[in-house]
Amino acid sequence: MTTFVVPTDGSAFADRALRPACALASRLGQASVLLVSCTPGDGGATQAHLEDRASLFGEVVDVSTQLVDEADPAEGILRTVSSTPDATLCMATHGHGGLRTAVLGSVAEKVVRRCTDPLVLVGPACRTALLPGEVGRMLVCSDGSDFSEAILPTAVSWATRLDLQPCIAEVVPPDETVNQAGTAVRNRQVEAASARLERLADRFGESPRTASFEVLHGTPVSRSITGFADRLPAALVAMATHGRSGLTRTAMGSVAAEAARYSPCPLLLTRP
């Protein structure tokens, strides 16, 4: 049974990851949520806060709580994730510059840097919480590189388990450019991107549904992605990230970092 592990430091911002985690868990059916405190201090007050948050969703999904009993909160979170069968980390982020709430600053940097499994990030613009029975879509991002395609196995698995309609997208320059003679010239990148996306869509097969694909235009790339996610609307945006040095522009890549900041739905990330 999948368990979504949600770390919190007791702040309202960190607690924002709880609703999407509960929505994903209820969508799966056989899933639960573990709300974990990563804030050293008054155990009684912290436990009361956890139980209060958990009670908000108790009728929707099984939500349990746990206090991290370790000097280093990051180690406690990672230990909790590694010791929980079929666990997926789901946590709040500001995006662009890291997770900057109280304890969820340097702690989250360590967690994201060392988390080797797919994880879900909930940014400040996130407002989507897909419930059972609703039609949902997953936006899968590619940039034409082998690296970006590393998200495909995870995306296929999550789309199937969550019964989401996948749509694969790549951002390229406009359809036509103008040469020195003032003549419109067809952008061959569009045709190449369409061929790549069609090939990637085939990897989804027909379960749960045949994947569609879309060639997007615009700058910056992250805004094109999040704008399209809003129009779909998407319940989940999936992409690969470097994640070599934590949750920073350099580590995530500017596209993933900005997507986390502006995405209207949770961001599913994986590190090849």
Side-chain angles (χ1 to χ4, degrees):
M1 181 175 72
T2 298
T3 299
F4 290 90
V5 177
V6 182
T8 179
D9 57 10
S11 67
F13 187 90
D15 288 347
R16 293 180 74 253
L18 183 57
R19 181 181 295 276
C22 289
L24 290 171
S26 63
R27 181 85 175 184
L28 286 176
Q30 295 293 322
S32 62
V33 173
L34 177 59
L35 184 59
V36 180
S37 170
C38 59
T39 309
D42 186 347
T46 301
Q47 184 63 48
H49 174 79
L50 292 179
E51 293 177 357
D52 175 70
R53 297 297 91 187
S55 67
L56 298 177
F57 302 94
E59 296 184 2
V60 178
V61 67
D62 178 23
V63 184
S64 57
T65 64
Q66 181 175 321
L67 295 177
V68 172
D69 184 20
E70 196 156 339
D72 185 342
E75 291 294 336
I77 294 169
L78 290 166
R79 177 167 54 83
T80 301
V81 173
S82 64
S83 63
T84 303
D86 196 16
T88 295
L89 182 64
C90 180
M91 62 196 313
T93 175
H94 284 283
H96 188 62
L99 291 90
R100 298 173 179 163
T101 63
V103 173
L104 287 182
S106 60
V107 172
E109 293 288 343
K110 295 178 184 178
V111 171
V112 174
R113 181 173 67 245
R114 293 174 52 189
C115 188
T116 57
D117 295 318
L119 70 152
V120 177
L121 297 180
V122 178
C126 179
R127 58 181 184 274
T128 299
L130 190 66
L131 298 177
E134 292 184 298
V135 175
R137 297 177 175 85
M138 171 189 287
L139 175 58
V140 184
C141 303
S142 171
D143 63 8
S145 68
D146 291 340
F147 180 90
S148 69
E149 291 185 20
I151 190 62
L152 262 293
T154 299
V156 171
S157 173
W158 280 58
T160 301
R161 295 176 65 198
L162 291 168
D163 191 23
L164 299 177
Q165 170 70 57
C167 178
I168 311 173
E170 181 178 338
V171 182
V172 300
D175 287 355
E176 293 183 342
T177 57
V178 179
N179 61 19
Q180 293 182 341
T183 304
V185 179
R186 176 72 177 175
N187 182 2
R188 298 300 180 185
Q189 291 185 57
V190 175
E191 298 174 2
S194 295
R196 281 193 298 270
L197 294 177
E198 185 174 10
R199 173 178 57 82
L200 296 180
D202 288 341
R203 293 178 59 177
F204 282 84
E206 297 181 358
S207 178
R209 301 178 181 88
T210 302
S212 60
F213 62 89
E214 190 82 19
V215 178
L216 307 177
H217 308 287
T219 55
V221 171
S222 59
R223 296 297 184 91
S224 296
I225 291 172
T226 55
F228 184 62
D230 198 21
R231 295 192 298 275
L232 269 176
L236 201 63
V237 173
M239 65 174 62
T241 179
H242 290 282
R244 286 189 290 260
S245 305
L247 192 58
T248 63
R249 286 182 62 89
T250 301
M252 291 183 69
S254 58
V255 173
E258 288 290 311
R261 183 183 180 97
Y262 296 107
S263 177
C265 59
L267 194 67
L268 172 63
L269 293 181
T270 187
R271 287 193 295 127

